[in-house]
Amino acid sequence: MSIFKFKEFEVAQDRCAQKIGTDGVLLGAWASEDSTPDPDRILDIGAGTGVISLMMAQRFHSAQIEAVELDEDAFEQAATNFENSPWGDRLFCFHASFQEFFEEIDETYDLIISNPPFFNSSNITTDTDIKKNREQARFDDALPFEELIYGVYKLLDEDGIFACVIPIDRERHFLGIAAHYKLFPARITHVKGTESSPIKRSLLELRFCESEIKPDLLTIEISRHLYTTDYINLVRDFFLKM
């Protein structure tokens, strides 16, 4: 679908290689649920369609939300989606790499959020333009975890939160890099599709302080299109049919 309709906004996605998916919506609904109840300044790294920024605008009524997107088509689409939303005056998208962005910006953010690219370039195997663009949006040569976390380290307020979603098999590596910059997990939710399926994703919140935490578990479906109560409660403010 070129237009994805949520309860309070719509997202055009025909110009974006990476379409709206479960990861981004989960992160947008989960991030800062209790940790920072009313952030003033939010940054979305790798905006894509802008869906996470729009979810932040719906959730946090007074927040100013900035997004950064490298791909020109995605940047233009996100900017248009922002303008067409009820919160256009609180949303702004920069057309730049995150590396360029964090070298230029001196201000800090209460909440930084990202659904980062996470495949390596060795995964690129196709020659068609559309598949290349889709894979470009998901592989991390453009924004390695090291540079992502370094940029977050520079831009995050000392009491702020960095929220992201990554593959479970890269969680240890990611947290190791974060620890080098004194960013430590304050909340972790592991995500699996069904009760019998393996854990695939890790939702992380990191802060500049160490604490003892125990990951919790979110299962999305009981069976095909029959969703768990936990998942419904998390996303019901956004999806039309929840």
Side-chain angles (χ1 to χ4, degrees):
M1 294 184 295
S2 61
I3 301 289
F4 197 108
K5 295 185 178 182
F6 291 88
K7 285 184 177 177
E8 296 190 27
F9 60 90
E10 296 182 354
V11 179
Q13 54 181 346
D14 56 292
R15 299 185 64 183
C16 289
Q18 193 65 31
K19 307 303 183 187
I20 293 171
T22 302
D23 287 356
V25 174
L26 274 178
L27 181 62
W30 177 88
S32 197
E33 189 173 35
D34 302 307
S35 314
T36 306
D38 195 18
D40 291 322
R41 301 191 72 240
I42 299 173
L43 175 65
D44 177 9
I45 303 169
T49 62
V51 63
I52 294 176
S53 292
L54 289 160
M55 293 176 75
M56 295 294 100
Q58 178 181 324
R59 289 180 55 197
F60 303 113
H61 299 160
S62 62
Q64 295 294 315
I65 300 146
E66 296 176 357
V68 57
E69 173 56 53
L70 173 61
D71 180 79
E72 184 173 1
D73 283 337
F75 157 73
E76 292 178 357
Q77 186 129 75
T80 300
N81 286 331
F82 291 172
E83 291 171 7
N84 292 337
S85 77
W87 314 289
D89 60 333
R90 297 193 287 116
L91 291 154
F92 186 81
C93 194
F94 293 89
H95 183 208
S97 70
F98 183 51
Q99 293 92 330
E100 292 170 326
F101 183 83
F102 69 66
E103 291 294 344
E104 294 293 327
I105 298 298
D106 295 322
E107 299 172 336
T108 60
Y109 296 85
D110 304 304
L111 173 62
I112 299 178
I113 190 165
S114 183
N115 176 17
F118 51 67
F119 293 135
N120 296 313
S121 58
S122 58
N123 294 108
I124 304 299
T125 57
T126 59
D127 293 326
T128 61
D129 286 342
I130 187 63
K131 288 186 177 180
K132 277 187 176 179
N133 288 342
R134 184 177 296 116
E135 290 174 339
Q136 173 72 35
R138 302 310 298 164
F139 79 75
D140 61 8
D141 282 8
L143 183 57
F145 283 165
E146 291 85 354
E147 294 185 24
L148 170 65
I149 295 170
Y150 174 66
V152 169
Y153 163 77
K154 290 190 67 176
L155 297 179
L156 188 65
D157 185 82
E158 62 180 12
D159 295 320
I161 287 176
F162 170 45
C164 63
V165 55
I166 60 171
I168 188 64
D169 61 2
R170 301 191 68 184
E171 181 186 88
R172 175 179 285 189
H173 173 64
F174 190 89
L175 292 178
I177 299 169
H180 176 76
Y181 291 101
K182 308 302 181 185
L183 282 163
F184 303 100
R187 184 170 163 235
I188 298 176
T189 296
H190 291 152
V191 182
K192 56 173 24 180
T194 65
E195 190 62 41
S196 60
S197 62
I199 293 170
K200 290 291 185 70
R201 295 285 185 266
S202 179
L203 292 161
L204 302 173
E205 281 188 352
L206 306 181
R207 306 190 79 148
F208 288 118
C209 61
E210 284 191 82
S211 58
E212 291 290 331
I213 65 162
K214 183 178 180 181
D216 55 26
L217 178 66
L218 173 66
T219 302
I220 295 175
E221 290 181 316
I222 299 168
S223 58
R224 186 66 173 164
H225 299 311
L226 180 61
Y227 298 104
T228 65
T229 300
D230 287 344
Y231 179 73
I232 291 170
N233 288 339
L234 185 61
V235 302
R236 69 190 322 158
D237 290 341
F238 302 98
F239 284 133
L240 287 171
K241 296 182 180 180
M242 288 292 182

